Amino acid sequence: MALSGGVPASAAPGDASARGVVVDLSASVLGVPIITADAVIGTATAPAGGGTDSDTALAITIPGALGVTASGTVVEVSATRGDTASSANAEIADLALGVLGTSVIDADVITAAVTCPQVGAQTADTTFVGLELFGEPVDLLPNTPGVTASAAVTVPGLTGASLNVTLTSVETTTADSATAIAVQATIRLTGTIVGGPLLDIPVGSVILAEARCERPLQPTGTPTATPTQPTAPPTQPTTPPTGDPTQPPPAPTASPTLPVTGDSGGNLWWFLGTGLVMVIAGTTARLISRRSRAVIDA
């Protein structure tokens, strides 16, 4: 599958996209086109409603290209939009790219992958196996100026013509997004027109394995749970009441108060004895009085 297109717009939360091979090359000398190639091989865009878009086993060809050849396979491009994360990846195998009859880039495997979780750090990763520039092995480090090399080429109308290629790799993350571009080649053509000036012609770029994603939005309107405070138990009396609470309290028991003067036991017997004597004396007096009246009356 070959599609034309530029850099995809991927700026909305949850977006994810991947591309396999992107070729955008064009150059002319004295008004005559010598290089033309415009193609995107393998694309995937995460569905707006969620889910995964993918494509696999795509042959790397550039129909209608002038001065450019390409072969190999886009093994897979995939992009996923989920509720809690978005992600994308691209993989290329057995790549061979030639310009103006010269082998420019070769690789056994090239990959790019990104992940954008809703919570946590975004990630971007690239890998290369057997990467070569103009037939020489290349150790390409992400986020550096990259590697530059040149090779002589034959161009009608130019003397001393050469291709100048710079390879770079990108692994970038922000708070909300991630981008991985395994290989980006920037190509220029230089040479001197016969009897004229030195030319420096921008030819364009080639992207090999690209993946991008954006962090999904946090859910909105979710109420924040308020911790429930425990209810304090009723205060218990320090000393629980005794007896039946429905019955009135018992009346206090009265105790006789006795006069206290000296020896209480001795005084009590003295009072009792005196009273008894007085009672006997009174009774005797009454009996004598009654008898005296009886004698007189007789």
Side-chain angles (χ1 to χ4, degrees):
M1 177 176 67
L3 301 173
S4 63
V7 176
S10 181
D15 279 358
S17 63
R19 299 190 294 180
V21 176
V22 182
V23 180
D24 184 11
L25 302 175
S26 178
S28 299
V29 174
L30 299 175
V32 178
I34 59 172
I35 298 174
T36 301
D38 184 8
V40 179
I41 307 164
T43 63
T45 302
T52 299
D53 179 29
S54 65
D55 211 344
T56 59
L58 304 172
I60 298 175
T61 61
I62 309 175
L66 173 65
V68 178
T69 60
S71 63
T73 303
V74 173
V75 178
E76 180 184 39
V77 285
S78 178
T80 300
R81 183 196 303 267
D83 293 335
T84 59
S86 63
S87 62
N89 67 276
E91 180 179 350
I92 299 169
D94 302 322
L95 173 75
L97 176 70
V99 179
L100 296 178
T102 299
S103 176
V104 178
I105 302 174
D106 294 276
D108 296 330
V109 178
I110 300 175
T111 70
V114 293
T115 302
C116 294
Q118 190 178 75
V119 177
Q122 323 303 300
T123 64
D125 298 288
T126 59
T127 63
F128 323 92
V129 177
L131 180 62
E132 295 182 351
L133 176 59
F134 294 125
E136 296 294 328
V138 173
D139 185 12
L140 189 58
L141 299 178
N143 308 324
T144 66
V147 177
T148 299
S150 300
V153 291
T154 300
V155 177
L158 291 181
T159 61
S162 65
L163 284 174
N164 303 283
V165 179
T166 298
L167 301 184
T168 57
S169 179
V170 176
E171 294 178 0
T172 62
T173 61
T174 68
D176 299 311
S177 66
T179 300
I181 301 175
V183 178
Q184 181 163 338
T186 303
I187 303 175
R188 305 181 71 86
L189 174 65
T190 59
T192 302
I193 297 177
V194 177
L198 174 68
L199 298 181
D200 186 350
I201 303 170
V203 176
S205 65
V206 176
I207 291 174
L208 305 172
E210 175 191 79
R212 301 173 183 267
C213 66
E214 296 283 332
R215 181 199 299 270
L217 286 176
Q218 294 274 1
T220 59
T222 303
T224 302
T226 302
T228 303
Q229 299 296 328
T231 303
T235 303
Q236 299 296 325
T238 304
T239 303
T242 59
D244 188 349
T246 62
Q247 298 299 323
T253 304
S255 300
T257 304
L258 297 178
V260 178
T261 55
D263 186 356
S264 60
N267 290 339
L268 178 60
W269 285 111
W270 186 86
F271 282 121
L272 291 177
T274 301
L276 179 59
V277 171
M278 291 179 66
V279 171
I280 295 172
T283 302
T284 303
R286 288 193 193 98
L287 289 176
I288 295 172
S289 176
R290 285 178 183 177
R291 287 177 181 176
S292 296
R293 287 177 183 175
V295 172
I296 295 171
D297 289 341

